[in-house]
């Protein structure tokens, strides 16, 4: 039995954009903001955008291979863990601290829980569709996301100074 891969995008996009818009419309604007990048880093921004688009478009054409194997079940669990983490990160992102930092909820354990959720969700999608090409795109996406995260950290250091430095010392970048 097969199911269209595009169905994997529906809950993800609803949580990532719909839930955030329902909770706090202003947070949607903040979530769409990319930290300034140095001129020699701009290519990473475009790699991030292209890899994201490639992942989303590819899933529209791939099929989930329902096989009732251990790989299928692990992939489903990974996908739902990613969705749950994404929902928690979105809820917490909607309510930053008074300084503007996101240090509440899952942000107490990871400085980038939303990105971690994307990594889990897209990895699960590659496993569920059993697509090596999609798996390769996920690796490129993770690499590009890391570059975006480094730029965000630099911007946060400039914007929030000591408060962000203390946060960095307390909380890991990913997990």
């Amino acid at each position: 039995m097969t199911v269209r891969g595009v169905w994997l995008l529906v809950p993800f996009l609803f949580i990532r954009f719909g839930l955030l818009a329902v909770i706090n419309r202003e947070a949607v604007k903040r979530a769409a903001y990319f930290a300034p990048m140095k001129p020699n880093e701009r290519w990473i921004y475009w790699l991030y955008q292209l890899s994201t688009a490639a992942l989303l478009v590819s899933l529209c054409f791939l099929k989930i291979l329902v096989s009732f194997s251990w790989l299928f079940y692990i992939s489903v669990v990974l996908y739902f863990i990613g969705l749950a983490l994404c929902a928690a990160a979105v809820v917490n992102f909607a309510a930053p601290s008074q300084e503007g930092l996101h240090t509440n909820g899952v942000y107490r354990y990871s400085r980038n829980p939303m990105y971690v959720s994307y990594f889990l969700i897209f990895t699960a999608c590659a496993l569920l569709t059993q697509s090596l090409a999609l798996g390769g795109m996920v690796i490129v996406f993770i690499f590009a996301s890391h570059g975006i995260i480094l730029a965000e950290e630099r911007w946060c250091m400039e914007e929030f100074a000591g408060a962000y430095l203390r946060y960095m010392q307390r909380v890991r970048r990913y997990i």
Side-chain angles (χ1 to χ4, degrees):
M1 181 168 112
T2 61
V3 179
R4 295 209 129 322
V6 70
W7 289 109
L8 294 169
L9 294 175
V10 173
F12 167 67
L13 294 173
F14 172 76
I15 290 169
R16 174 61 181 84
F17 297 103
L19 181 61
L20 190 57
V22 167
I23 296 171
N24 182 344
R25 282 206 180 278
E26 289 301 312
V28 175
K29 293 177 191 169
R30 282 188 289 112
Y33 176 77
F34 281 89
M37 302 193 86
K38 294 179 180 178
N40 65 337
E41 296 173 325
R42 291 212 177 100
W43 68 273
I44 204 81
Y45 168 82
W46 290 108
L47 184 61
Y48 175 83
Q49 295 295 348
L50 289 171
S51 63
T52 301
L55 287 167
L56 299 177
V57 169
S58 294
L59 280 167
C60 293
F61 297 100
L62 292 170
K63 293 183 179 181
I64 302 165
L65 304 171
V66 181
S67 64
F68 304 109
S69 65
W70 64 270
L71 179 63
F72 176 78
Y73 289 118
I74 288 172
S75 303
V76 168
V77 168
L78 192 64
Y79 177 75
F80 282 107
I81 289 171
L83 287 179
L85 179 58
C86 189
V90 161
V91 168
N92 298 148
F93 184 86
S97 68
Q98 287 190 344
E99 299 98 17
L101 283 173
H102 302 284
T103 60
N104 55 333
V106 293
Y107 286 88
R108 289 180 291 170
Y109 308 103
S110 170
R111 295 194 309 263
N112 299 285
M114 223 178 292
Y115 283 107
V116 172
S117 75
Y118 302 163
F119 301 160
L120 293 174
I121 291 166
F122 291 140
T123 298
C125 290
L127 293 171
L128 285 166
T129 59
Q130 296 181 17
S131 170
L132 287 175
L134 190 64
M137 287 180 231
V138 171
I139 291 168
V140 171
F141 173 78
I142 291 171
F143 170 79
S145 297
H146 181 70
I148 296 292
I149 288 166
L150 294 177
E152 287 176 358
E153 288 180 348
R154 188 175 52 245
W155 179 83
C156 286
M157 286 294 294
E158 294 168 4
E159 193 74 17
F160 303 109
Y164 192 73
L165 181 59
R166 287 187 296 280
Y167 178 58
M168 285 177 75
Q169 292 168 342
R170 250 185 10 258
V171 178
R172 292 176 179 255
R173 180 178 288 142
Y174 296 111
I175 52 174

